[in-house]
């Protein structure tokens, strides 16, 4: 019975993967650029959401450093894929450091490098900062992200300062983005469902008791934070190539806020929740652009208010926290068994 | 009672919090394979002593040695790795995890595979994970919790939560087990069952057990040796008979008037 379920579930998973594959193959020739862009953003926000979910949802460390790690990943990877001709064109005020001028790598390597450097940064600040708990950790990581941004703004021979980088090759298509999303999802799934993952959840639930179980909690926290930083770096690297332009202003706290929204809306501690949250948040962010345009209802003319969309966004986050603090999925996980069971009694996934 | 080798030796432990002395100059030597008790009125410093032994507090003065090793002020997770496990006065389960997961977490420290092997899906990793799961299941069967293995630990009734906390401590494969008020909140029948359970643990798992307890029936029923603390000072020690007849103990628990009347 159990074995039969296993085979069936594997079959269903592979089918689902194939369906996504066919869709990705079909999409570019049938959907317009705007919709493709949204699909790409969903993939990247999924990666970012999963990254923060490991740190915050699974291990219980309230971190606001996502934008900082993204910034590192984005700059490192972009520097490796920018053609030299483009580098000549961008760095007009100050010359680029010759070492970076010569640096070049294929896209996969560049994205990985972005992740690795972000992970190193995570390791370095994690060791001192993770001794803090709760809100203090949030403030410290927020400060770290701001420092990264300010530094990026002030080392023009490396980052081109406030002008940012332009003309980054747009390699990050649907295949790359969804490929990385599945990779992230797989790694997270294996980690969270191993006994290592159990130990992380133990730290979240009761750190004192986890210590009594012989778990070196500070070490586990640093590992979890570093893995999270790695994937945030990957997300940043992909986003840079998708948008083809980056500058330090892009990595302000609002970016972290979007990712936090993904995790909270989807459900803290649920991997499937992060993907669902990424879908909801990305679509909502685009759809809400309507409220920033001038609207006419009959003779009533409402002028467009820039920034209105963030106001509505913030209100919806508050509403979620009040009325559905567990997000869409709570800390439950998506399983085929669960889906089939609920399918018999009508669809109830909420 | 014949003397056995000492497994845990706490010597002259003193714990001061600012101006308050919670425990002062407390010594106890616990012999291997015994069930012993630490009693005293509320606020006498029992849990503080527990915390000093398990590394949650570093004693202001004094020394703790376990199996001949100095473990004074060692980090709690290292103390656990030395072979000392504990439960808590107010149950501290990992409440969002299942019963089985709670026990598996106790085995984590002995696992050889590292976290980065999980995504690689190596056969050796998967094999060890399976073994940990099976071992946890076996342990649950021995403490009769296997039927609720997949329940969320928070949803268990109180008595089973207590038992799970002990099972989780056993999963770390300790040689020395500290139980902080295992009978708290239990009715007489439940605490009677608990007494048998504690004895069985000692014999089956070859443990030395130190317990803090307020339920005198349990203390007198299972402990072979008892230390009594009052206001942080050791006022008596001995076997249950000696403790029951000790005027200092009666005074500490019941007050001077009772002694005068009697």
């Amino acid at each position: 019975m159990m074995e039969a379920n296993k085979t069936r579930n594997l079959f269903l998973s592979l089918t689902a993967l194939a369906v996504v594959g066919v869709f990705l193959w079909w999409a570019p020739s049938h959907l317009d650029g705007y919709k493709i862009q949204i699909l790409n953003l969903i993939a990247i926000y999924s990666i970012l959401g999963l990254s923060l979910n490991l740190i915050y949802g699974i291990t219980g460390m309230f971190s606001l450093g996502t934008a900082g790690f993204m910034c590192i990943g984005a700059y490192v990877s972009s520097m490796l894929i920018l053609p030299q001709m483009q580098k000549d064109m961008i760095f007009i005020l100050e010359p680029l450091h010759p070492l970076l001028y010569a640096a070049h790598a294929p896209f996969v390597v560049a994205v990985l490098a972005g992740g690795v450097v972000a992970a190193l940064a995570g390791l370095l600040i994690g060791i001192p900062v993770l001794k803090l708990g709760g809100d203090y950790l949030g403030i410290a990581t927020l400060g770290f992200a701001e420092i990264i941004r300010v530094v990026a703004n002030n080392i023009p021979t490396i980052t081109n300062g406030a002008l940012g980088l332009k003309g980054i090759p747009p390699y990050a298509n649907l295949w790359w983005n969804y490929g990385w999303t599945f990779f992230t999802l797989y790694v997270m799934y294996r980690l969270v469902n191993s006994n290592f993952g159990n130990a992380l959840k133990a730290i979240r639930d009761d750190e004192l008791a986890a210590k009594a179980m012989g778990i070196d909690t500070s070490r586990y926290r640093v590992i979890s934070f570093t893995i999270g930083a790695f994937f945030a770096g990957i997300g940043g690297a992909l986003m840079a190539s998708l948008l083809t332009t980056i500058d330090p202003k892009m990595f302000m706290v609002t970016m972290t806020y979007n990712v936090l929204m993904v995790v909270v809306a989807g459900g803290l501690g649920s991997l499937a929740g992060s993907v669902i949250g990424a879908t909801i948040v990305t679509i909502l962010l685009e759809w809400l652009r309507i409220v920033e345009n001038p609207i006419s209802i009959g003779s009533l003319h409402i002028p467009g208010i820039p920034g209105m969309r963030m106001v509505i966004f913030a209100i919806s986050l508050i509403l979620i926290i009040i009325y559905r603090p567990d997000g869409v999925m709570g800390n439950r996980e998506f399983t085929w068994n669960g889906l089939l069971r609920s399918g018999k009694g009508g669809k109830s996934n909420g | 009672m014949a003397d056995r080798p000492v497994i845990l030796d706490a010597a002259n432990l003193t714990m001061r919090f600012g101006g308050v002395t919670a425990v002062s100059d407390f010594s106890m030597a616990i012999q291997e394979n015994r069930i012993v008790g630490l009693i005293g009125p509320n606020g006498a410093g029992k849990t503080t002593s527990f915390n000093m032994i398990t590394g949650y507090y570093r004693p202001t003065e004094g020394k703790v040695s376990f199996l001949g090793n100095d473990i004074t002020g060692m980090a709690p997770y290292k103390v656990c790795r030395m072979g000392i496990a504990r439960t808590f006065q107010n149950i501290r389960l990992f409440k969002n995890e299942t019963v089985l997961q709670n026990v598996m977490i106790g085995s984590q420290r002995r696992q050889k595979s590292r976290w980065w092997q999980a995504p690689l899906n190596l056969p050796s990793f998967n094999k060890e994970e399976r073994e940990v799961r099976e071992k946890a299941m076996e342990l649950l069967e021995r403490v009769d919790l296997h039927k609720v293995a997949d329940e969320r630990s928070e949803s268990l009734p109180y008595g089973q939560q207590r038992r799970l906390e002990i099972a989780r401590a056993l999963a770390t494969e300790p040689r020395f087990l500290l139980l902080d008020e295992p009978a708290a909140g239990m009715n007489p029948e439940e605490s009677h069952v608990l007494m048998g359970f504690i004895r069985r643990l000692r014999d089956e798992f070859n443990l030395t057990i130190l317990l803090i307890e307020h339920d005198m029936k349990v203390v007198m029923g299972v402990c072979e040796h008892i230390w009594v603390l009052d206001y942080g000072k050791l006022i008596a020690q001995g076997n249950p008979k000696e403790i029951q007849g000790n005027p200092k103990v009666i005074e500490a628990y019941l007050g001077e008037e009772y002694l005068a009347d009697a």
Side-chain angles (χ1 to χ4, degrees), chain A residues 100-124:
Chain A
L100 290 174
Y101 182 74
H104 196 79
F107 188 50
V108 195
V109 180
V111 172
L112 263 179
V116 169
V117 178
L120 281 178
L123 185 68
L124 276 179

Side-chain angles (χ1 to χ4, degrees), chain A residues 32-239:
Chain A
D32 58 47
Y34 180 58
K35 290 195 180 99
I36 297 285
Q37 183 78 350
I38 291 177
L39 285 173
N40 276 317
L41 282 172
I42 288 175
I44 294 175
Y45 271 115
S46 298
I47 296 174
L48 295 168
L50 288 165
S51 138
L52 185 60
N53 206 347
L54 181 73
I55 297 173
Y56 183 28
I58 306 286
T59 324
M61 302 181 288
F62 184 53
S63 160
L64 293 172
T66 304
F69 297 125
M70 285 176 69
C71 182
I72 294 171
Y75 272 97
V76 168
S77 144
S78 304
M79 201 47 82
L80 288 174
I81 55 173
L82 270 173
Q84 286 186 346
M85 219 177 70
Q86 187 65 26
K87 286 180 184 168
D88 285 333
M89 279 168 63
I90 316 171
F91 286 82
I92 37 172
L93 293 179
E94 304 246 4
L96 175 63
H97 193 280
L99 251 175
L100 290 174
Y101 182 74
H104 196 79
F107 188 50
V108 195
V109 180
V111 172
L112 263 179
V116 169
V117 178
L120 281 178
L123 185 68
L124 276 179
I125 73 138
I127 291 168
V129 159
L130 294 179
K131 293 205 166 70
L132 301 170
D135 305 340
Y136 298 103
L137 178 61
I139 292 164
T141 46
L142 181 66
F144 156 79
E146 280 298 290
I147 289 169
I148 293 290
R149 190 176 65 81
V150 171
V151 166
N153 223 342
N154 288 290
I155 41 170
T157 57
I158 296 172
T159 61
N160 204 22
L163 292 175
L165 304 178
K166 289 177 190 67
I168 302 164
Y171 297 139
N173 57 15
L174 280 175
W175 291 108
W176 278 118
N177 291 332
Y178 278 87
W180 279 106
T181 304
F182 277 110
F183 172 69
T184 312
L185 204 53
Y186 176 74
V187 171
M188 292 290 174
Y189 176 82
R190 291 284 306 174
L191 284 178
V192 169
N193 289 299
S194 70
N195 208 20
F196 170 77
N198 286 340
L200 295 184
K201 291 177 218 156
I203 294 171
R204 171 192 66 193
D205 280 2
D206 195 325
E207 191 168 353
L208 216 68
K211 283 179 183 166
M213 295 292 101
I215 293 169
D216 184 353
T217 53
S218 4
R219 191 167 155 266
Y220 277 64
R221 281 161 67 111
V222 170
I223 294 173
S224 159
F225 192 71
T226 307
I227 302 171
F230 174 80
F231 285 108
I234 300 266
L238 292 173
M239 195 172 272

Side-chain angles (χ1 to χ4, degrees), chain A residues 186-187 190-191 194-196 198 201-202 204-206 208-216 220 223 227, chain B residues 56 77 80-81 88 92 94-97 101 104-105 108 111 115 118-119 121 125-126 129 132 168:
Chain A
Y186 176 74
V187 171
R190 291 284 306 174
L191 284 178
S194 70
N195 208 20
F196 170 77
N198 286 340
K201 291 177 218 156
R204 171 192 66 193
D205 280 2
D206 195 325
L208 216 68
K211 283 179 183 166
M213 295 292 101
I215 293 169
D216 184 353
Y220 277 64
I223 294 173
I227 302 171
Chain B
Y56 285 90
Y77 78 88
C80 170
R81 290 175 185 195
F88 294 88
R92 283 175 170 274
F94 305 123
K95 54 181 169 40
N96 290 312
E97 270 57 70
Q101 280 170 332
M104 282 172 68
I105 289 162
Q108 166 73 22
Q111 242 165 306
W115 62 270
N121 208 356
F125 180 89
N126 293 335
E129 287 279 314
V132 163
R168 191 181 67 174

Side-chain angles (χ1 to χ4, degrees), chain A residues 190-202 209-210 213-215 220, chain B residues 80 93-94 97-112 125-140 149-150 153 164-173:
Chain A
R190 291 284 306 174
L191 284 178
V192 169
N193 289 299
S194 70
N195 208 20
F196 170 77
N198 286 340
L200 295 184
K201 291 177 218 156
M213 295 292 101
I215 293 169
Y220 277 64
Chain B
C80 170
L93 290 173
F94 305 123
E97 270 57 70
T98 65
V99 170
L100 182 67
Q101 280 170 332
N102 265 274
V103 176
M104 282 172 68
I105 289 162
S107 312
Q108 166 73 22
R109 73 174 191 95
R110 289 192 183 271
Q111 242 165 306
K112 278 183 213 73
F125 180 89
N126 293 335
K127 183 164 167 270
E128 192 174 23
E129 287 279 314
R130 224 174 16 249
E131 280 166 2
V132 163
R133 184 178 295 271
E134 277 162 14
K135 233 168 83 187
M137 204 63 204
E138 230 170 82
L139 186 63
L140 284 177
D150 292 326
S153 65
L164 174 58
E165 211 193 7
I166 295 174
R168 191 181 67 174
L170 291 175
T172 67
E173 296 178 27

Side-chain angles (χ1 to χ4, degrees), chain A residues 300-320:
Chain A
L300 184 68
H301 294 283
I302 306 167
I305 308 161
M308 194 58 195
R309 145 178 105 107
M310 291 320 282
V311 173
I312 294 182
F313 207 56
I315 292 172
S316 48
L317 181 59
I318 293 170
L319 289 178
I320 289 177

Side-chain angles (χ1 to χ4, degrees), chain B residues 41-56:
Chain B
N42 285 327
K46 303 181 298 289
T47 298
T48 306
S49 305
F50 254 44
N51 286 339
M52 281 192 282
I53 293 170
T54 49
Y56 285 90

